[in-house]
Amino acid sequence: MSDIAVILPDGTELSVEEGATVRDAAFAIGPGLGKDTVAGVVDGELVDKETPLHDGADLVIVTDQSDEYLDVLRHSAAHVFAQALQRLHPEAKLTIGPWTDDGFYYDVTSVDLEQEDLEAIEDEMRDIIEEDLDIERVLVDREEALEKYADNPYKRDILEEEAAGDDELSFYQQGEFEDLCKGPHVESTGEIGAVKLLNISAAYWRGDEENDTLTRVYGTAFESESDLEEFLDMREEAKERDHRKLGQELNLFAIDETTGPGLPLYQPNGKRILDELADYAKQLNLDAGYDPVETPHLFRTELWKKSGHYENYVDDMFLLDVNDEEYGLKPMNCPGHATIFDQQSWSYRDLPVRYFEDGKVYRKEQRGELSGLSRVWSFTIDDGHLFVRPDQIEDEINLIIDNILTVFDTFGLDAEVALATRPEKSVGSDEIWEQAETQLRAVLDDSGIDYGIEAGDGAFYGPKIDFAFKDALGRKWDGPTVQLDFNMPDRFDLTYTGEDNEDHQPVMIHRALYGSYERFFMVLIEHFNGKFPFWLAPEQVRILPISDDQMGYAKKLQYELGDFRVDIEDRSWTLGRKIREAQTDRVPYMVIVGGDEEEAGTISVRDRKEREAKDVSVEAFRDHLHSEYDKKRPEPDFLADEE
Ligand SMILES: [Zn+2]
Ligand SMILES: [Zn+2]
């Protein structure tokens, strides 16, 4: 037999016989690794260790030490769930049960399940783990597979769609249970250290509202009980910080059924924060040489046809008929900005041209997918579009990354960065892709940022850099992207006059610093647990008079601190209660004044961390507030040195 070569993570080639599996390759590297092999990652896809390799495959061997091991374990836990469910509710029909970022789910039907039923199923799952059943992969021919699922239209659907071309299908068996599945799985149910069923929700078959409603059961699994405990604690904390809950408690925003789903209404507290965010981004943009522009919410669909959005996004667009002409709410700001660029003639010396706009966009997500501020119908992108010469890409990207990282730093968020490269289907010449990717890589390498490569994950019109926010709880959220675009300048026939007096096409760069305000606001609410930094806080200082006698003095102080958002607590409560209330409202500073303070013309200051200082002069406090506002520190720090 002839040999094939596979490529290992360090770039070396390993020669194996044709038909060799992931496990064979692992044994070829070393017998220890061969024995420890749980699964493989072939060309980026997690697969069973018995999967045959092809020539040129990228191969990663997965053992119980690999990051992917938890995915494998959780998928096996999903099977254990399905087995337990069928033991207790034999009428249940199974559909799909994948692993997720923090556990697994299984969509089932023909069974009535409530939250209270989960405990019994979980007990049964623990029994199955105790039984330590071997998990075995079995190949079954198509006819037999279809017969097995004579009563299950969903599994038959999978056989006819995803597995249409396969004559042999893999099933995984454990004890009396079997499931059509590509795997991979752990060796036996006993390997699963800890399981927990979390909650139930509704789902649609294939995620489509037109299809049958299914019951989705979420769960998670870990190698050990202590890992599970840690996860559950974190989950509790995340629930406490849920932006929908805090949004209501702190009067930040509301989503009202009467005004429409996915259409957030910002209350004054929320709007104050958004305004601070907008001012901050605007200043960064102006400093970086951007020019402000503005576009309307509505365009003729001619524009969307020209940009190509109509073809690809028409199902997600809100369309209107105006005097027999079709208009659409804008799902993106780019075509508007490209049209603005096109109003003037440009020379190579004028480039780069940089536009920015806080542009409201509208995208019709499925109603079932809408959630708080994370999935909405209307949102505002802090959108920037640059029109640059190909030789300017590197400098411009450098500047943009600098600005994005400044934003991460200001909010105390960690960044996770990835470069997404040319996909199989793409527009633009080999030369321009090569040049663009090389420049993006050079910028990232020079910046010293740790970044991953998402091979083939770029847009069809250009490569991009994706940033994810990592918040205080270590969770990851989609953040801003920097995207090169060779397509839209072509569709809009954008040009500039080169040094050679000929017309040339600029490259367009799409970028944001926050992404969308809605998503970023959500991240900040949860990241700060509602304790916004001083500069963002909707109410920055609350004056607490000890008795009504100090009301006049309190009003004088409010006036003297008039550059800031200062309220007076005027309810006739005890001081203790006033302090607790300010603490609940997460006000950064409390100014406490009684008869002594009034007489001395001073104040007492207390912060959210319960630090206190007496006999403070109003001037010293006010000066500090100015510097704290300008420095945009994440925590109040006037009293930091007093501890
Ligand atoms: Zn499976
Ligand atoms: Zn854009």
Side-chain angles (χ1 to χ4, degrees), residues 419-424 433 437 441 453-459 462-464:
L419 172 65
T421 58
R422 187 175 192 172
E424 262 174 51
W433 271 92
E437 287 187 4
R441 256 177 232 269
I453 302 277
E454 288 163 354
D457 250 4
K464 58 177 180 161

Side-chain angles (χ1 to χ4, degrees), residues 178-205:
E178 64 177 359
D179 199 359
L180 171 68
C181 176
K182 283 198 290 192
H185 285 283
V186 296
E187 296 278 327
S188 76
T189 59
E191 270 189 52
I192 303 167
V195 287
K196 180 86 193 157
L197 293 180
L198 298 168
N199 56 293
I200 295 188
S201 74
Y204 301 104
W205 174 238

Side-chain angles (χ1 to χ4, degrees), residues 545-565:
I546 291 178
S547 79
D548 285 352
D549 297 343
Q550 286 85 47
M551 204 52 84
Y553 185 50
K555 289 202 170 122
K556 181 169 165 277
L557 290 171
Q558 186 182 33
Y559 177 77
E560 286 176 17
L561 297 172
D563 288 345
F564 302 99
R565 296 183 283 269

Side-chain angles (χ1 to χ4, degrees), residues 156-420:
R156 288 179 74 96
D157 198 31
I158 295 170
L159 287 169
E160 274 146 29
E161 295 285 332
E162 285 91 331
D166 305 347
D167 297 331
E168 277 197 320
L169 299 137
S170 69
F171 278 70
Y172 283 80
Q173 283 186 342
Q174 55 200 51
E176 81 288 357
F177 175 79
E178 64 177 359
D179 199 359
L180 171 68
C181 176
K182 283 198 290 192
H185 285 283
V186 296
E187 296 278 327
S188 76
T189 59
E191 270 189 52
I192 303 167
V195 287
K196 180 86 193 157
L197 293 180
L198 298 168
N199 56 293
I200 295 188
S201 74
Y204 301 104
W205 174 238
R206 299 208 182 275
D208 187 338
E209 293 177 31
E210 311 276 299
N211 289 342
D212 296 352
T213 307
L214 309 170
T215 303
R216 176 169 297 181
V217 178
Y218 285 96
T220 193
F222 286 91
E223 286 175 63
S224 70
E225 285 294 340
S226 62
D227 287 354
L228 174 63
E229 286 300 315
E230 200 180 305
F231 168 84
L232 292 174
D233 287 349
M234 193 65 104
R235 197 164 170 269
E236 245 351 271
E237 177 65 33
K239 251 189 216 167
E240 281 300 305
R241 292 176 178 224
D242 189 309
H243 75 285
R244 289 163 297 190
K245 174 174 168 284
L246 287 178
Q248 196 169 26
E249 286 171 11
L250 302 173
N251 297 313
L252 301 174
F253 71 91
I255 292 172
D256 188 290
E257 266 308 305
T258 312
T259 48
L263 300 169
L265 305 169
Y266 293 102
Q267 294 160 272
N269 282 349
K271 179 60 177 162
R272 286 189 183 107
I273 295 173
L274 290 179
D275 280 352
E276 290 287 358
L277 293 174
D279 288 349
Y280 176 59
K282 182 177 179 183
Q283 200 53 56
L284 287 176
N285 288 330
L286 293 175
D287 291 349
Y290 286 70
D291 292 311
V293 292
E294 188 175 314
T295 56
H297 293 219
L298 190 66
F299 284 114
R300 287 175 65 209
T301 47
E302 289 314 304
L303 180 71
W304 310 114
K305 285 172 187 162
K306 193 170 171 184
S307 70
H309 288 110
Y310 194 85
E311 250 168 83
N312 297 308
Y313 290 96
V314 70
D315 292 341
D316 299 332
M317 283 180 68
F318 293 94
L319 299 174
L320 302 94
D321 192 42
V322 184
N323 299 334
D324 288 336
E325 251 192 303
E326 195 179 38
Y327 283 72
L329 292 177
K330 61 177 172 181
M332 289 184 184
N333 299 303
C334 346
H337 292 184
T339 308
I340 292 176
F341 179 84
D342 203 22
Q343 302 305 306
Q344 273 168 264
S345 48
W346 301 98
S347 123
Y348 67 97
R349 282 185 307 265
D350 301 323
L351 269 45
V353 168
R354 312 179 187 91
Y355 294 147
F356 81 92
E357 175 185 15
D358 282 337
K360 186 80 87 184
V361 296
Y362 300 85
R363 294 182 199 166
K364 196 164 45 174
E365 303 258 4
Q366 301 237 21
R367 281 191 70 147
E369 304 275 299
L370 299 174
S371 162
L373 294 179
S374 67
R375 286 289 196 96
V376 283
W377 273 357
S378 78
F379 55 98
T380 305
I381 303 174
D382 68 305
D383 222 347
H385 292 100
L386 298 86
F387 303 87
V388 309
R389 303 192 307 258
D391 64 287
Q392 294 174 320
I393 293 174
E394 193 166 334
D395 284 347
E396 287 307 308
I397 298 286
N398 238 324
L399 230 153
I400 294 168
I401 291 182
D402 239 33
N403 277 338
I404 291 177
L405 293 181
T406 301
V407 168
F408 274 80
D409 188 50
T410 298
F411 296 94
L413 292 158
D414 287 330
E416 209 165 276
V417 186
L419 172 65

